[in-house]
Amino acid sequence: MKLDFYTPNSQILRKYIKGFYFISKDQDKGPIKYWTFPNNYCILTVNQQFEVEDKGDLVIISSSEVKNIMTCVVSRYTRPMQIYYKDLVDELTIYFHPLGINHFVEDPTSLFIKNTQIDINFLEGFNDKMRILFSLDRMTQITELESYLLSKLKVDKDFTIFRQMLVDLENELTVDELAAKYRFSRQYINRLFLRNLGKSPSEYKKIHRFRQALKIQHKYKRFSLLLNTGFYDQSHYIKDFRAFTALNPNSFFKDVDVNKENVWLIVA
C-alpha cells in the first residue's frame, strides 16, 4: 500500500507540525499490519466508521456500519506498538512536533492525562469538520485542513524556556544540569514535562537519542559515530535499541529501511 506523507504547505504550520497523511477506506483492501516505534511526536488520529480494540501494544482497527467518528491522541509509548487494520477505514493522522499541539488547545494538560487518549474532544466542532473533510478529494482535503488548523492556532503561547530545555536535553544535558541552569527543582521539571509533553525528560532524551542513532547507523554503519549521540558504549546502545524495537540492531536494519517515506515504520 502506498502512503503519501505531506509536509504542511504553510510555513507557519511547519513550526508546529511535522506532517500528516490520509487513508481512504477505498484505497486498498485489508488486512494490513505494521509496527511503529517510539518517537517524540504527539500523534493525533481521526477515524470514521470504524471499531477499535486497544490491547496496549496492539491496536486492532476494523470497519463498521455505524456512522461514527473518533479522535485519539498518542503522546507516550516506550515500546514498539503493532497496528492491525482488518479493513482500511477513512483516517487522518497528524504528527505534531514536541509542544506543537499545545498551540491549538486552551489547556494542553488534558491531552496528556493518559499515554493514549481515545475519543477526545480535541477542538470545538473538530469531528464535524473532519467528517466533511473525508468527503473531499485529496488536494482539497489538504487545503481545507491547513486552513482550519491555521484558524485555530494560538500564537500567543510562549514556550521559549521549555523549548530551550528540549534543546539542552538533545545536547545531552542531565536533568540535574537542567535544574541548575534554570533554577528549577527536578520535581518541577518532571511535572512540567508530564503536563506539556506527556513524558518525562529522561524519556524524551532517550527517545531522541534512539532516533538520532537510527539516522547515523543507517547512513554510516559505524558504531563509533553513535558515541556522539550520547551512548556510553555498544552495550548501552543495544540495550536501548532492544527496549524500543524488541529487535537487535542488525535484525532491525535488515528489515526496515529508515530512509523510506513510510511513517508507519519510522518518522525521521
Side-chain angles (χ1 to χ4, degrees):
M1 174 183 170
K2 186 177 184 296
L3 181 70
D4 294 318
F5 189 71
Y6 300 96
T7 300
N9 293 313
S10 166
Q11 293 292 336
I12 295 174
L13 287 180
R14 288 183 187 184
K15 297 177 183 179
Y16 311 102
I17 295 173
K18 167 68 175 180
F20 50 87
Y21 66 81
F22 293 90
I23 296 175
S24 169
K25 64 181 179 181
D26 302 320
Q27 189 171 349
D28 204 345
K29 293 183 178 180
I32 294 174
K33 294 182 180 180
Y34 66 88
W35 287 93
T36 181
F37 307 101
N39 59 66
N40 280 324
Y41 297 108
C42 184
I43 304 170
L44 181 146
T45 298
V46 190
N47 293 99
Q48 179 173 248
Q49 287 188 240
F50 81 116
E51 295 177 356
V52 61
E53 297 177 67
D54 184 356
K55 297 186 176 182
D57 294 341
L58 170 64
V59 176
I60 302 172
I61 298 170
S62 55
S63 63
S64 170
E65 295 301 319
V66 179
K67 297 186 180 299
N68 62 346
I69 192 162
M70 185 183 294
T71 299
C72 305
V73 169
V74 178
S75 60
R76 182 186 199 182
Y77 64 108
T78 57
R79 296 185 297 179
M81 184 184 302
Q82 188 177 23
I83 311 297
Y84 173 35
Y85 287 86
K86 288 185 177 179
D87 319 282
L88 289 190
V89 298
D90 291 329
E91 176 177 312
L92 164 65
T93 294
I94 305 174
Y95 282 74
F96 289 88
H97 290 301
L99 298 176
I101 199 170
N102 305 47
H103 287 271
F104 294 87
V105 293
E106 290 291 346
D107 179 19
T109 59
S110 63
L111 297 174
F112 307 121
I113 296 172
K114 297 180 180 179
N115 299 345
T116 300
Q117 293 279 73
I118 296 177
D119 200 11
I120 66 165
N121 183 20
F122 175 51
L123 296 169
E124 185 178 354
F126 180 76
N127 284 1
D128 290 336
K129 179 66 177 181
M130 295 303 103
R131 186 176 283 109
I132 294 172
L133 208 69
F134 285 132
S135 68
L136 305 174
D137 65 85
R138 183 69 77 241
M139 290 301 103
T140 307
Q141 283 179 324
I142 294 170
T143 301
E144 289 294 312
L145 174 64
E146 293 199 23
S147 177
Y148 176 78
L149 290 173
L150 284 169
S151 74
K152 299 298 182 181
L153 183 61
K154 304 178 187 302
V155 294
D156 57 336
K157 290 194 171 186
D158 186 3
F159 291 98
T160 303
I161 294 178
F162 203 147
R163 291 188 186 281
Q164 185 56 52
M165 285 185 178
L166 297 183
V167 173
D168 290 337
L169 284 175
E170 291 169 5
N171 288 325
E172 287 302 311
L173 263 67
T174 65
V175 178
D176 284 335
E177 289 169 332
L178 280 187
K181 179 176 179 178
Y182 296 98
R183 299 183 180 180
F184 295 146
S185 69
R186 286 176 54 93
Q187 293 77 11
Y188 175 77
I189 291 175
N190 194 63
R191 290 197 301 270
L192 191 67
F193 271 72
L194 291 174
R195 288 201 308 263
N196 289 280
L197 284 182
K199 56 174 65 74
S200 69
S202 59
E203 285 174 336
Y204 179 91
K205 182 178 178 179
K206 288 179 69 173
I207 291 171
H208 175 78
R209 182 193 295 148
F210 161 69
R211 286 283 168 165
Q212 291 300 106
L214 289 185
K215 297 177 185 179
I216 293 173
Q217 179 72 356
H218 184 79
K219 184 174 182 179
Y220 299 106
K221 295 180 174 59
R222 290 172 56 192
F223 172 76
S224 60
L225 295 176
L226 296 179
L227 296 178
N228 296 326
T229 66
F231 290 104
Y232 305 123
D233 52 32
Q234 191 166 8
S235 295
H236 183 201
Y237 167 58
I238 293 173
K239 178 182 177 182
D240 277 9
F241 205 96
R242 284 177 173 166
F244 288 135
T245 69
L247 296 168
N248 63 49
N250 288 338
S251 297
F252 181 86
F253 287 106
K254 179 181 178 181
D255 296 332
V256 179
D257 182 357
V258 297
N259 284 334
K260 290 180 66 176
E261 286 292 334
N262 190 339
V263 296
W264 284 354
L265 293 177
I266 293 294
V267 177

